[in-house]
């Protein structure tokens, strides 16, 4: 998930005890996510797109320290004046920072020192919480949402790191879940005509790129009732889908040939004997589970092969608007999450959770968009070029973080997140 730190809170601030409890639960889950990791695990960086687990823990702490304690609590002194350079991410307004590809060089501070930093900032936040809630409740909520985003990134980055290890280490044992079959694919006609999308006045929190709410016009269309499965993806591979130029966008075809792509990320094997790397190590590909770790290029090529297309994000949001965003396979505790087949709920399976679903929509602002003021407004508007929108969340998204208007976005070649697809077609 992209770091999307910008804020609005159209629905009002929650009760003080509620937001304090959520702050503590969120901070505790981040610690639990790294309990099984050693000092080397939390320091290594497997690629420039990923960050070390230790950096995620420190960066989310830097966010609270910088934008709440430093900026709004009189007399607060930084835990270490050298660390903002290390743990700032992309905030130009916050000055110079360590280049992202070099985060894996941070053998110091140690994990113990980072955890002590977290303790220091949490204690200061709790002491100042009554004062902050009166004046900056929306900003506290933003910090919580920001840390939840990094919890998903922490898991996907650890998965990528471990996948590069020839030993195939497991982050944790596989969760105990009964194997289920995917529901038969069928088409559900979508909303037609005028529909209002974007965060509405009842939304407790939304990022600025979800605003303003505005009308769109939807042509007749239908969405698949579930995401594409691994079994269906194997059929695509068997039918030489990765070798047929006619299925691919030009940039995608160049990418496939240049990178020698022949299967989703983390797959190995062939024929009907595919394995995939998971947070619990190497496992046989489950043909019933949603396919994941695919790029936009792959999703678009599969949709063309299937005689369909990717949904627009407007079509997706119209389908999701009245459905419960807390349902489905999402992150509840520190464990080896993985997508799995689910039953239908109100006609759809896995509309929320399981895999982020690529849409065919470029990441651009809604009409009337205004970025949030100050440094926290940097993470959305300036990225509205060259990326595509994903919807629905994944098995690694903390439960309670999602809503119908939530917009994630990535470059079309990226696939280390839990990314999949749901088919659409025009009627």
């Amino acid at each position: 998930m992209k770091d999307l730190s910008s804020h609005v809170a159209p629905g009002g601030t929650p009760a003080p005890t509620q937001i304090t409890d959520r702050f503590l639960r969120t901070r505790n889950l981040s610690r639990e996510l790294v309990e099984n990791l050693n000092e080397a695990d939390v320091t290594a960086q497997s690629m420039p797109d990923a960050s070390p687990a230790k950096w995620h823990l420190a960066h989310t702490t830097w966010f609270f320290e910088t934008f709440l304690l430093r900026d709004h609590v009189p007399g607060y002194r930084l835990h270490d004046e050298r660390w903002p350079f290390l743990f700032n991410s992309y905030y130009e307004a916050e000055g110079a920072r360590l280049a992202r590809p070099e985060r894996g060089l941070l053998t110091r501070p140690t994990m113990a020192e980072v955890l002590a930093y977290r303790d220091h900032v949490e204690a200061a936040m709790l002491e100042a919480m009554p004062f902050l809630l009166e004046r900056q409740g929306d900003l506290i909520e933003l910090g919580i949402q920001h840390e939840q985003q990094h919890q998903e990134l922490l898991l996907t980055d650890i998965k990528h790191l471990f996948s590069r290890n020839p030993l195939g280490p497991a982050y944790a044992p596989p969760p105990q879940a009964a194997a289920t079959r995917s529901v038969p694919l069928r088409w559900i006609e979508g909303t037609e005509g005028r529909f209002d999308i974007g965060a509405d006045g009842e939304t407790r929190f939304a990022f600025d790129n979800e605003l303003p709410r505005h009308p769109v016009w939807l042509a007749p269309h239908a969405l698949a009732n579930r995401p594409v499965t691994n079994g269906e993806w194997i059929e695509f591979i068997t039918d030489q889908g990765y070798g047929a130029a006619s299925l691919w966008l030009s940039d995608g075809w160049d990418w496939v040939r240049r990178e020698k792509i022949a299967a989703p990320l983390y797959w190995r094997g062939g024929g009907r004997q595919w394995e995939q790397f998971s947070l619990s190590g190497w496992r046989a590909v489950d043909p019933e589970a949603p396919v994941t770790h695919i790029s936009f290029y792959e999703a678009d090529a599969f949709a063309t092969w299937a005689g369909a297309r990717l949904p627009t994000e407007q079509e997706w949001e119209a389908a999701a608007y009245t459905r419960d965003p807390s349902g489905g396979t999402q992150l509840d505790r520190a464990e080896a999450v993985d997508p799995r087949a689910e039953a239908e709920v109100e006609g759809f399976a896995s509309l929320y959770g399981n895999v982020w679903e690529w849409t065919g929509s470029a990441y651009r602002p809604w009409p009337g968009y205004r970025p949030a003021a100050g440094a926290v407004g940097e993470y959305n508007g300036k990225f509205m070029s060259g990326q595509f929108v994903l919807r629905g969340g994944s098995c690694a998204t903390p439960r309670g973080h999602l809503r119908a208007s939530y917009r994630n976005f990535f470059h079309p070649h990226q696939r280390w997140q839990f990314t999949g697809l749901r088919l659409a077609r025009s009627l």
Side-chain angles (χ1 to χ4, degrees):
M1 185 184 305
K2 191 76 72 174
D3 190 347
L4 305 177
S5 305
S6 301
H7 100 285
V8 311
T13 304
T17 54
Q18 181 184 6
I19 198 167
T20 301
D21 288 347
R22 291 185 60 251
F23 170 77
L24 289 172
R25 286 199 307 272
T26 301
R27 299 290 287 176
N28 289 338
L29 178 57
S30 295
R31 285 180 179 256
E32 292 165 4
L33 289 172
V34 299
E35 284 182 353
N36 292 341
L37 303 178
N38 61 35
E39 188 77 32
D41 294 336
V42 300
T43 302
Q45 181 178 21
S46 58
M47 63 170 174
D49 284 340
S51 297
K54 184 170 65 177
W55 187 91
H56 286 298
L57 294 176
H59 168 70
T60 51
T61 303
W62 168 87
F63 188 97
F64 283 109
E65 181 180 54
T66 300
F67 298 123
L68 282 149
L69 297 175
R70 185 201 67 181
D71 288 356
H72 298 288
V73 176
Y76 178 80
R77 298 185 63 179
L78 295 180
H79 179 70
D80 190 314
E81 292 185 356
R82 301 168 298 171
W83 287 13
F85 178 84
L86 303 181
F87 302 125
N88 180 7
S89 53
Y90 299 116
Y91 294 95
E92 297 285 348
E94 287 298 320
R97 58 207 173 277
L98 184 71
R100 182 173 184 171
E102 296 181 3
R103 292 171 186 170
L105 301 178
L106 295 177
T107 58
R108 307 293 176 93
T110 65
M111 183 62 161
E113 290 172 314
V114 167
L115 293 178
Y117 177 39
R118 289 180 67 87
D119 287 340
H120 172 86
V121 169
E122 286 167 22
M125 282 290 299
L126 291 174
E127 181 178 356
M129 193 68 76
F131 171 82
L132 290 171
L133 282 170
E134 288 182 4
R135 297 162 176 81
Q136 300 295 331
D138 293 354
L139 195 53
I140 298 172
E141 180 63 37
L142 172 60
I144 293 170
Q145 298 283 334
H146 171 258
E147 183 146 353
Q148 288 178 322
Q149 292 177 320
H150 277 272
Q151 289 167 346
E152 179 161 3
L153 287 166
L154 192 156
L155 284 175
T156 53
D157 291 355
I158 281 291
K159 181 173 182 177
H160 189 270
L161 174 67
F162 282 8
S163 77
R164 301 296 303 275
N165 188 322
L167 298 177
Y171 166 78
Q176 299 298 315
T180 56
R181 295 185 62 84
S182 60
V183 296
L185 190 144
R186 61 188 182 86
W187 295 95
I188 299 176
E189 290 192 21
T191 300
E192 181 180 344
R194 176 182 166 138
F195 190 84
D196 289 345
I197 67 169
D200 60 25
E202 301 302 314
T203 304
R204 177 176 55 82
F205 173 88
F207 293 107
D208 64 1
N209 66 350
E210 300 170 53
L211 289 174
R213 190 163 177 82
H214 62 284
V216 296
W217 189 265
L218 300 176
H221 67 280
L223 299 182
N225 62 325
R226 59 160 173 78
V228 170
T229 66
N230 287 322
E232 290 164 338
W233 202 270
I234 290 172
E235 296 299 326
F236 173 70
I237 295 173
T238 302
D239 199 36
Q240 305 302 312
Y242 280 96
S246 60
L247 300 176
W248 294 80
L249 297 169
S250 179
D251 286 350
W253 184 240
D254 290 344
W255 172 77
V256 162
R257 291 186 297 170
R258 181 177 65 252
E259 303 297 331
K260 298 180 173 56
I261 305 296
L265 184 63
Y266 305 134
W267 281 35
R268 70 182 184 187
R272 302 288 172 175
Q273 303 298 318
W274 289 98
E275 289 184 303
Q276 65 182 149
F277 187 78
S278 73
L279 283 164
S280 55
W282 285 102
R283 299 165 56 189
V285 167
D286 177 3
E288 304 294 330
V291 67
T292 190
H293 298 299
I294 58 169
S295 67
F296 170 83
Y297 295 137
E298 291 166 285
D300 186 82
F302 182 96
T304 300
W305 174 79
R309 61 172 174 83
L310 298 179
T312 68
E313 62 168 322
Q314 294 88 345
E315 292 167 343
W316 190 98
E317 186 168 329
Y321 183 67
T322 61
R323 288 164 173 87
D324 182 8
S326 66
T329 302
Q330 299 181 40
L331 181 67
D332 295 304
R333 62 191 65 84
E335 63 179 358
V337 293
D338 222 16
R340 61 176 183 263
E342 292 182 331
E344 292 181 353
V345 178
E346 297 183 76
F348 286 100
S350 303
L351 200 57
Y352 289 102
N354 252 338
V355 292
W356 284 103
E357 298 177 8
W358 285 106
T359 72
S361 299
Y363 179 53
R364 294 292 295 147
W366 289 149
Y369 166 77
R370 294 290 184 273
V376 296
E378 290 191 35
Y379 266 100
N380 282 325
K382 70 181 186 180
F383 287 116
M384 291 176 173
S385 173
Q387 306 198 57
F388 284 84
V389 174
L390 303 97
R391 293 298 195 113
S394 82
C395 56
T397 306
R399 196 177 304 278
H401 184 69
L402 296 171
R403 54 201 163 269
S405 58
Y406 198 109
R407 306 174 77 198
N408 199 0
F409 52 93
F410 281 102
H411 291 285
H413 69 280
Q414 292 175 310
R415 56 184 192 158
W416 92 106
Q417 298 300 304
F418 286 100
T419 50
L421 79 155
R422 182 184 303 267
L423 296 174
R425 64 184 185 187
S426 301
L427 299 179

